Amino acid sequence: MYLSPPDIGELEESYVLNALRSGWVAPVGPDLDAFEDEMADRVGAAHAVAVTSGTAALHLALLALGVGPGQVVVVPTLTFVATANAAVYAGAEPVFVDCEASTGNIDVALMADLLARLRAEGRKVGAVLPVDMFGACADYATLLPVCEVLGVPVVEDAAEALGATHAGQPAGSFGHAAVLSFNGNKIMTTSGGGMVVTSDAALADRCRYLSTQARQPVRHYEHAEVGYNYRLSNLLAALGRAQLRRLDEMTARRRLLRDRYTKVFASAPGVRLLAADDAGSNCWLTTIVVDPRVAGWHAGEMATHLATQDVETRPVWKPMHLQPVYAGSRGAITGAAERLFAHGLTLPSGSALTDRHIDRVFDAIHTFLEDRR
Ligand SMILES: *Cc1c(COP(=O)(O)O)cnc(C)c1O
């Protein structure tokens, strides 16, 4: 039983079949346009550019902001590697910032210190790339004013957060641009895909142009710059439209799971849920954090037990500053992300899990907890 399998049904079948039959089997077509419009509406942005992955969307958003060699991009150390890689693709240097223990999201005070130091050194910060960890938004109410004062653009990595809100505003609406992912394990999927959403028309145009090989608007193939082949297929956009129609239903199911985990672990000493207090989370993944001195067991022991019951779990992201590929990178590190990596455990959270699957997960957790009382 997987952590977060795709949730695909008849609506998706009919959308994809219609797209196939329409003949628009290319990275252009009416479903692609409609998918962008519908998603822009959903996140409250004026423009959307659909591309082949969230990673491609991050890359384009940074390029469109003019991020390049000689610049720094500030990235949370607790994230999926794509966030940091995008900075490298753009030719910039990622500098890592540690997280808040309670949510796993970027530590804004630490980020502010780092930005001040970088400025004092005369370094140009091309962008800050906050991540909405496991579906809970970063603290934009505090973060955005800090970046605004310093004139540093913000790209929201909302790959995990579609459907979430922060202070009543939807994920995907913060910063100069935001990035969504429709990878197979995300809250909704196009099998693979991503999007840049923004209210900046010029930025959206630049992303769209770069995603289609930077072709000049003439009849023959004319190129004045190096572009990318990043545009999403119309077929996959059709799948995305069906999934978007079901987003609220899928999110509600994940929230149900979250509520059940909250109840079960409320009576387990030394166990808390990551971002437990965030009512705006889309509940993409539910993660527990175990204090072994209080609980009397390690997160890894529960993972081992659940694996014997064929229940998949995962550690929290391994921090970027511990990754061999980013060894020697600069960072403002407190140890908070390392502790979440050591003591966190992500539990089955997918909306496609059946009632029977879910019962099996909770039976296995009950048995584990009972054995340790
Ligand atoms: C999934 C994810 C991405 C990358 O998205 P892809 O569509 O898989 O390329 C980027 N950032 C974060 C935080 C993610 O979770």
Side-chain angles (χ1 to χ4, degrees):
M1 180 186 329
Y2 295 112
L3 205 68
S4 180
D7 183 348
I8 302 293
E10 285 173 17
L11 189 69
E12 286 79 0
E13 275 181 33
S14 77
Y15 268 71
V16 174
L17 197 59
N18 283 339
L20 258 176
R21 287 178 176 158
S22 75
W24 289 100
V25 186
V28 59
D31 285 294
L32 190 55
D33 297 340
F35 184 38
E36 290 179 339
D37 290 346
E38 289 159 8
M39 190 61 79
D41 275 353
R42 171 74 204 213
V43 304
H47 310 279
V49 181
V51 293
T52 46
S53 69
T55 308
L58 285 167
H59 184 194
L60 292 184
L62 292 181
L63 290 178
L65 284 169
V67 172
Q71 297 184 20
V72 162
V73 174
V74 172
V75 176
T77 192
L78 194 65
T79 184
F80 179 54
V81 71
T83 320
N85 286 354
V88 176
Y89 297 164
E93 175 195 347
V95 172
F96 300 113
V97 179
D98 220 313
C99 65
E100 308 171 333
S102 59
T103 64
N105 276 321
I106 191 166
D107 180 328
V108 175
L110 202 61
M111 178 203 76
D113 283 351
L114 177 69
L115 288 175
R117 253 182 297 136
L118 288 165
R119 158 168 282 213
E121 292 168 19
R123 298 299 307 269
K124 167 130 174 83
V125 180
V128 172
L129 249 181
V131 173
D132 301 329
M133 180 78 178
F134 293 165
C137 285
D139 180 9
Y140 293 107
T142 323
L143 183 148
L144 292 176
V146 171
C147 293
E148 179 149 12
V149 166
L150 295 170
V152 175
V154 174
V155 175
E156 176 190 5
D157 182 345
E160 305 173 0
L162 179 60
T165 57
H166 168 74
Q169 232 178 290
S173 66
F174 300 100
H176 291 71
V179 164
L180 305 172
S181 165
F182 313 122
N183 193 15
N185 61 350
K186 292 296 187 335
I187 194 134
M188 63 161 264
T189 185
T190 59
S191 85
M195 206 176 266
V196 179
V197 286
T198 178
S199 290
D200 180 335
L203 197 145
D205 286 347
R206 178 87 185 144
C207 289
R208 189 171 283 111
Y209 160 79
L210 288 173
S211 75
T212 49
Q213 305 281 27
R215 189 178 168 192
Q216 298 296 320
V218 294
R219 247 190 95 241
H220 66 274
Y221 288 92
E222 179 82 9
H223 305 272
E225 287 177 272
V226 173
Y228 302 85
N229 181 12
Y230 278 173
R231 198 77 169 119
L232 188 71
S233 149
N234 187 70
L235 285 184
L236 300 184
L239 178 53
R241 291 184 69 198
Q243 286 265 284
L244 181 55
R245 276 188 58 185
R246 294 186 47 236
L247 176 63
D248 289 328
E249 162 203 327
M250 294 192 292
T251 308
R253 187 139 178 100
R254 288 186 193 251
R255 175 160 295 287
L256 219 67
L257 265 168
R258 168 75 53 97
D259 291 345
R260 232 174 124 176
Y261 284 126
T262 303
K263 276 207 195 84
V264 166
F265 289 109
S267 53
V271 184
R272 66 179 173 94
L273 264 62
L274 196 63
D277 301 329
D278 191 328
S281 168
N282 68 359
C283 302
W284 175 52
L285 295 179
T286 294
T287 295
I288 55 168
V289 185
V290 181
D291 181 343
R293 290 162 310 180
V294 179
W297 49 275
H298 276 92
E301 294 173 59
M302 178 177 274
T304 305
H305 172 75
L306 293 182
T308 67
Q309 306 300 304
D310 196 29
V311 172
E312 185 188 36
T313 60
R314 282 283 169 81
V316 171
W317 303 124
K318 181 174 180 179
M320 290 303 110
H321 70 274
L322 299 182
Q323 299 286 355
V325 65
Y326 288 116
S329 291
R330 183 166 175 184
I333 302 302
T334 61
E338 289 177 28
R339 282 189 291 276
L340 289 179
F341 176 55
H343 301 300
L345 188 67
T346 298
L347 300 168
S349 307
S351 53
L353 297 174
T354 63
D355 290 345
R356 215 167 45 92
H357 283 143
I358 294 168
D359 286 343
R360 238 175 65 211
V361 173
F362 283 92
D363 284 349
I365 290 172
H366 264 299
T367 309
F368 178 85
L369 291 176
E370 280 305 316
D371 285 354
R372 270 151 196 81
R373 268 193 226 286

